[in-house]
Amino acid sequence: MNLSTFFEHWRIVENPFRGEEARQDPVFQRLEAKGVSGGHVSAHGTGFTTHSDFEKILGDFARPSTAIVFGEKGSGKTAIRLQIADRVGAFNAANPQARCLLVAYDELNPILDRFNERVGSERKPNVPEALAKMRLPDHMDAILSLIVPRVVDTILKEHDAAPVQPVVVTGAGSSTRGVAGVIGAGLDLGPEPRKTIRRLEPTMRQELLLMQAVYDRAEGAERRTRRLRRVLRLPVPGRVWLWSALAGGGWLIPAGLAWWAYEEGTLNLNGGWALYSVAALTALWLIGIAKRWGWDRLWYLRLAHKVRRQVRISGRGDVSFARSLRQLDPAMLDAGGGLLPISPSEEHRYSLLDRLHRLLVHFGIASIIVVVDRMDEPTLIAGDPERMKSVVWPMLNNKFLQQSGLGVKMLLPMELRHALFRESAAFFQEARLDKQNLIERLSWTGAMLYDLCNARLQACLMQPPVTEGAQRPAATPITLLDLFAEDVTRADIVDALDQMHQPRDAFKLLYQCLIEHCSNVTQDQAQWRIPRLVLDTVKKQQVERVRQLSSGVRPA
């Protein structure tokens, strides 16, 4: 017997236990689509397909809080991230004037690659040493670089043509199913964002221009700075205009005076007031040229170099930063000690995040949630616990995790939990994990896994006809227990699933039971229920596989 025949008998249209990765699992997507509908979350979506700690992790979107979760591979961290995205979409649909912005900080390859290029040594590459230099300001810069370009995309109406940013919510590999107001699906800033931004006070518009000048993506950043300044209706700063006018047209005054003096016959090459006046005015013009095209250029390049040294996750060069900074009011740069990130101080970034949050409130976005996931996957980390620790530990800062209006959901590998418990008391005092909704282990009981697998089975049953007259019959309602022989009890299945500990391994167990049963019976035997012997044999094999996996002697 083959598996297709077995499923056809039970009116199962798709293998419920084939998926092992939530991002590519159609059954999970179907369950989420049923669980989140019409702007609300149904009981089906929260009762059987979510972890019992999900509500604690989720928190309140109106007042977002931090959650730190440790879980083994396959324990459902990515599924939780996708479920958070769906719940944010439902919340935003129900609260269009106080939406929540979801930032998926889960694709770190481009960020870490740029950081390593900037910090690492070309002559003697040392990735662990470079990652050890990662700071909290680097993460805050990365978060700003995820949000600011998409805000600018929407205001400039370039989001359709903009390249997809793999680290922007949702980024490459992230879900955008029904999430209104999520970056990457097109940031929703309301029906007329340009009119909204132009009604704001000039200081807020100048702050947005400054953030764009620093955190926009490298492609066409200086061009976008010029466009954004015009859209925001920010005039060329008076000092810049004056020096540009003097450098470009300052020659007209000495030339005009020389012509007039020549016509009047008062221009004497041997001296006289006319010659001295023309010489003085010409000297002023040359000073203007030197100031505008010499001194100013060097000054902006020097300032840009300071910014580039501190914003280490950016792929832009000094010239790109300098051309953008020239568009700003010099008063903003003179007061750069509080805004422009030209030092390793965290306060600059807190100030910028706060200003960005206050700006987004005017567009109906009242809160921000940052979801940290897949920390073991970047190429430069490659699952190494010490490298993960170097990247994650700077974020374990109480002030960062307890910002008003911003919640951080950290879904971390279990290896980091072991490293965390070896830290000092001073580290715990700074992180204040007692305030961060810490979940030390994302564990699943056998009963929870039974309900989850049963819900997946129900989602794969043939549905009733959609239109009248359809010939497709509906499937007879069945449960997971119905697939097994009569001598197999619910407690037997729950006990087997309990030894798997997490969804991915539970699915492997049931999938293998189906394969073993179908491969050992013929089709004419018509034996449609899995006997106890198969369950016991597969359970023994899978328990040993899980043990070897946890011991590091088996790949999967």
Side-chain angles (χ1 to χ4, degrees):
M1 180 192 300
N2 59 40
L3 202 56
S4 299
T5 304
F6 183 86
F7 286 152
E8 184 178 352
H9 170 80
W10 292 105
R11 298 290 191 267
I12 299 172
V13 297
E14 184 177 3
N15 192 331
F17 313 117
R18 180 179 56 191
E20 297 184 0
E21 172 59 39
R23 289 176 295 156
Q24 291 91 33
D25 186 0
V27 179
F28 173 78
Q29 295 177 13
R30 191 179 306 125
L31 283 169
E32 279 299 290
K34 291 180 180 179
V36 182
S37 59
H40 69 280
V41 181
S42 71
H44 179 75
T46 59
F48 301 138
T49 63
T50 60
H51 192 272
S52 57
D53 286 322
F54 181 68
E55 293 303 319
K56 178 180 179 180
I57 299 169
L58 198 64
D60 183 358
F61 292 140
R63 293 174 294 277
S65 59
T66 288
I68 300 177
V69 182
F70 295 99
E72 301 279 2
K73 296 178 178 67
S75 59
K77 298 189 298 296
T78 298
I80 288 175
R81 173 171 60 83
L82 300 180
Q83 289 168 335
I84 290 174
D86 288 332
R87 301 310 187 271
V88 168
F91 175 84
N92 290 346
N95 301 273
Q97 300 304 317
R99 288 168 287 131
C100 178
L101 178 64
L102 179 66
V103 182
Y105 194 38
D106 65 338
E107 179 53 78
L108 295 187
N109 268 313
I111 291 176
L112 294 182
D113 288 345
R114 291 193 295 264
F115 179 84
N116 186 53
E117 289 174 3
R118 186 71 56 83
V119 176
S121 171
E122 295 182 358
R123 291 183 298 176
K124 189 178 179 181
N126 190 330
V127 173
E129 183 178 320
L131 293 180
K133 298 178 182 178
M134 198 109 184
R135 314 165 307 189
L136 176 59
D138 296 318
H139 288 292
M140 298 169 78
D141 287 337
I143 292 170
L144 285 164
S145 70
L146 302 184
I147 303 175
V148 171
R150 289 301 181 180
V151 174
V152 176
D153 286 344
T154 304
I155 294 176
L156 297 182
K157 299 180 180 179
E158 292 186 356
H159 50 275
D160 292 331
V164 175
Q165 297 298 303
V167 290
V168 178
V169 315
T170 58
S174 302
S175 170
T176 58
R177 303 187 308 272
V179 183
V182 173
I183 303 181
L187 182 56
D188 181 10
L189 296 181
E192 295 180 325
R194 290 192 177 189
K195 289 186 178 180
T196 302
I197 194 69
R198 286 167 179 167
R199 286 195 295 264
L200 300 181
E201 58 186 24
T203 302
M204 297 194 74
R205 286 180 277 148
Q206 290 171 352
E207 290 169 354
L208 174 60
L209 188 62
L210 183 144
M211 285 186 276
Q212 184 279 331
V214 176
Y215 293 110
D216 204 357
R217 62 179 72 94
E219 298 82 5
E222 54 269 26
R223 172 190 60 82
R224 282 158 60 91
T225 306
R226 290 192 295 271
R227 281 201 62 200
L228 182 62
R229 180 177 59 78
R230 289 193 289 267
V231 169
L232 297 178
R233 294 180 178 174
L234 292 172
V236 176
R239 288 158 54 183
V240 175
W241 181 88
L242 178 61
W243 283 106
S244 297
L246 180 60
W251 63 272
L252 293 172
I253 299 177
L257 178 60
W259 176 258
W260 177 82
Y262 177 78
E263 289 291 326
E264 293 294 324
T266 58
L267 184 61
N268 186 350
L269 297 180
N270 294 324
W273 69 270
L275 181 63
Y276 294 140
S277 297
V278 170
L281 290 173
T282 302
L284 288 175
W285 171 53
L286 293 176
I287 291 174
I289 291 177
K291 169 72 167 61
R292 179 66 178 83
W293 302 111
W295 174 261
D296 282 358
R297 179 168 294 186
L298 292 175
W299 187 84
Y300 278 108
L301 281 173
R302 182 171 177 269
L303 184 63
H305 183 68
K306 291 181 179 180
V307 173
R308 180 176 175 271
R309 284 187 60 189
Q310 298 304 325
V311 184
R312 304 188 292 181
I313 50 82
S314 174
R316 298 172 62 184
D318 291 351
V319 174
S320 176
F321 277 119
R323 289 173 178 172
S324 290
L325 294 175
R326 290 180 74 95
Q327 303 292 321
L328 304 180
D329 189 337
M332 296 288 292
L333 305 180
D334 292 342
L339 280 182
L340 205 61
I342 57 176
S343 75
S345 171
E346 299 170 5
E347 296 306 318
H348 295 92
R349 280 70 172 189
Y350 283 122
S351 181
L352 287 168
L353 281 172
D354 179 64
R355 282 166 168 77
L356 179 60
H357 183 209
R358 285 191 280 127
L359 176 71
L360 293 176
V361 168
H362 292 278
F363 295 100
I365 298 175
S367 58
I368 301 173
I369 287 181
V370 179
V371 181
V372 180
D373 188 23
R374 300 166 62 197
M375 278 292 169
D376 55 340
E377 295 185 14
T379 305
L380 294 181
I381 293 179
D384 186 285
E386 288 301 316
R387 298 186 184 187
M388 282 191 283
K389 177 181 171 182
S390 297
V391 174
V392 173
W393 259 220
M395 287 189 283
L396 298 182
N397 178 284
N398 183 54
K399 182 176 180 179
F400 172 71
L401 298 176
Q402 294 294 321
Q403 295 179 77
S404 176
L406 187 146
V408 183
K409 313 295 183 182
M410 304 183 70
L411 309 175
L412 305 177
M414 184 56 67
E415 292 87 345
L416 288 179
R417 175 184 178 271
H418 306 322
L420 178 69
F421 277 70
R422 294 193 295 268
E423 291 294 337
S424 64
F427 178 88
F428 294 136
Q429 184 62 32
E430 180 181 1
R432 289 302 306 273
L433 297 180
D434 57 302
K435 300 172 64 175
Q436 316 301 348
N437 293 312
L438 177 67
I439 297 175
E440 295 185 10
R441 187 185 185 93
L442 195 65
S443 59
W444 295 75
T445 65
M448 293 166 62
L449 292 172
Y450 181 91
D451 286 339
L452 175 62
C453 295
N454 199 44
R456 293 176 66 89
L457 177 63
Q458 304 305 315
C460 293
L461 292 178
M462 188 174 292
Q463 300 302 311
V466 178
T467 58
E468 293 184 5
Q471 299 300 315
R472 188 180 69 177
T476 303
I478 61 172
T479 65
L480 188 61
L481 183 61
D482 294 324
L483 299 182
F484 290 85
E486 295 180 355
D487 59 341
V488 177
T489 65
R490 180 181 286 102
D492 294 330
I493 302 175
V494 169
D495 176 67
L497 294 174
D498 186 64
Q499 298 182 58
M500 298 297 101
H501 306 302
Q502 52 200 17
R504 183 177 298 168
D505 292 322
F507 302 159
K508 287 179 181 289
L509 170 75
L510 294 175
Y511 181 82
Q512 196 61 35
C513 284
L514 295 172
I515 292 295
E516 288 291 330
H517 171 66
C518 291
S519 62
N520 287 297
V521 298
T522 61
Q523 189 160 332
D524 57 3
Q525 284 182 279
Q527 187 174 342
W528 306 112
R529 306 183 75 175
I530 303 171
R532 170 182 285 276
L533 178 61
V534 171
L535 175 62
D536 291 341
T537 303
V538 171
K539 179 178 73 171
K540 182 178 179 180
Q541 296 171 350
Q542 292 298 311
V543 168
E544 178 62 18
R545 181 189 63 81
V546 170
R547 186 193 67 78
Q548 292 180 359
L549 178 63
S550 62
S551 302
V553 298
R554 189 184 181 97

